[in-house]
Amino acid sequence: MSTIKMVKHASWCCQLLQFYFLLYPCSSFNPTLLLHGEQYVEIYKPFPTSCCVQNKTTVSSLHDKGKAAIIEIESLSYDKESGEALCMNRSTIFLRGAGGFSKSPSLYSYSKNPPRQGSFVKIPKGEPFAVHEDCTQQSQALLYRLSGDYNPLHSDPMVASNAGFSRPILHGLCTLGFAVRAIIRHCCNDEPARVKSLSGRFLLHVYPGEVLVTEMWLQGSRVLYQTRVKERNKAVLAGYVTLDRLPSSL
C-alpha cells in the first residue's frame, strides 16, 4: 500500500506542476526535463487493509536557481472516514530550464519545511553493516508504471532520448523501494511497521535490468544506506531510514 501511495503522489506532482506554471507564466515547464531529486516520507501508522485515502497536497518550497528551478511538493494522506493522518510524502523536483523567474536582483527562495528534516546525510567510509544485492527486470519500469506514474520517460525511447538517456530509465521511487525493502529485510526482521521515516537522494539514473547493490550502516535508530549499480559501479541513491527500534539481534 505504501509503495502505491508514493507512486500516486508522483503522478499528482506532475499535475500540480503543470497547474503551477499556468499560474506562473514568467517561467516555463518542459515535462521531459523534469528530474526527481529527493524523496522524504514520514509514516504515522500502518495503512489499513481497506480505506478511502484523502490527500492534501501543497507546494512546501520553491527556489529559483537561475537556469533551473527546484520545487518541493508535500502530500499529507488521511483516512477519510476517521480523519487520522497515515503518512506524509515530500518530493523534491528539479526542473531544468525553468529558472530565472525572480523579479528582484536576488534569486527567489521560499521554504516552510522544518530545518534539516529529510536533509542529506554523509555516507560513512567504513565497511557497511550489511550488503544486499537485487536484480531489476528488463520490464521493471513498465510494471512499476502500472501503479500510476505514467511519465513517458520510463516507457518511450524517443522521450528518453530527448531527455539525454540512451533508453527509458527506471523510476526513482522504484529504486528507493528496492533499497528500503533491503533495509527492512536486514534490519527489521522483515517487519515494515518498524520504519518511521525515510529519505533518499537520487544521484544517478538506473536502467531496467541493472543490478542494485545496497550498502547499510547503523547510526543509532537510523540506517544509513547507499545503492550502487553493479554494472557501472556508480552510486545512484543515498539516504537514511529511521526505525522505531532496532532488533535485539543487532
Side-chain angles (χ1 to χ4, degrees):
M1 285 292 288
S2 58
T3 301
I4 293 174
K5 175 68 205 76
M6 289 170 65
V7 176
K8 294 292 186 183
H9 171 68
S11 179
W12 272 105
C13 282
C14 290
Q15 295 178 31
L16 187 59
L17 283 170
Q18 291 169 345
F19 176 70
Y20 172 79
F21 282 102
L22 283 174
L23 298 178
Y24 222 109
C26 57
S27 187
S28 59
F29 170 49
N30 184 347
T32 63
L33 298 180
L34 179 154
L35 293 176
H36 191 170
E38 297 182 29
Q39 187 74 24
Y40 175 72
V41 182
E42 289 183 350
I43 302 171
Y44 305 128
K45 60 177 299 182
F47 268 52
T49 55
S50 177
C51 74
C52 180
V53 176
Q54 187 171 37
N55 301 313
K56 180 181 179 182
T57 303
T58 58
V59 173
S60 64
S61 77
L62 175 65
H63 309 280
D64 185 352
K65 295 297 182 179
K67 293 184 178 180
I70 295 178
I71 186 169
E72 290 189 285
I73 299 175
E74 183 174 297
S75 181
L76 282 168
S77 300
Y78 302 88
D79 182 323
K80 187 175 181 180
E81 184 175 347
S82 68
E84 288 184 294
L86 301 174
C87 68
M88 182 272 282
N89 280 275
R90 185 186 301 131
S91 296
T92 302
I93 310 297
F94 187 76
L95 300 167
R96 294 175 288 173
F101 55 82
S102 302
K103 294 182 179 180
S104 61
S106 59
L107 294 178
Y108 181 84
S109 183
Y110 158 79
S111 177
K112 71 175 187 65
N113 300 331
R116 300 187 63 81
Q117 187 185 66
S119 59
F120 187 65
V121 295
K122 186 176 181 180
I123 300 301
K125 293 183 179 180
E127 288 296 314
F129 157 77
V131 179
H132 186 86
E133 190 171 298
D134 259 317
C135 183
T136 64
Q137 303 300 313
Q138 292 289 343
S139 59
Q140 198 77 56
L142 297 178
L143 290 171
Y144 192 79
R145 75 191 298 268
L146 296 177
S147 298
D149 188 340
Y150 301 115
N151 186 341
L153 178 64
H154 307 293
S155 60
D156 189 323
M158 185 171 294
V159 172
S161 177
N162 290 338
F165 301 105
S166 60
R167 57 190 175 96
I169 63 175
L170 191 60
H171 306 69
L173 287 180
C174 186
T175 304
L176 181 61
F178 272 94
V180 176
R181 183 175 65 177
I183 291 169
I184 290 172
R185 181 167 299 172
H186 286 271
C187 305
C188 302
N189 290 336
D190 283 319
E191 297 179 31
R194 290 189 172 181
V195 175
K196 294 306 175 186
S197 68
L198 60 98
S199 179
R201 176 176 290 183
F202 305 108
L203 307 174
L204 197 66
H205 60 279
V206 175
Y207 289 117
E210 291 186 312
V211 176
L212 299 176
V213 180
T214 299
E215 301 165 311
M216 301 159 239
W217 295 263
L218 296 179
Q219 187 186 73
S221 61
R222 276 185 174 183
V223 180
L224 310 184
Y225 70 89
Q226 177 177 265
T227 300
R228 295 182 293 105
V229 165
K230 187 175 183 178
E231 292 84 346
R232 291 179 280 142
N233 193 29
K234 296 287 188 180
V236 296
L237 172 69
Y240 66 85
V241 174
T242 303
L243 309 177
D244 63 347
R245 67 187 187 284
L246 290 173
S248 57
S249 57
L250 300 181

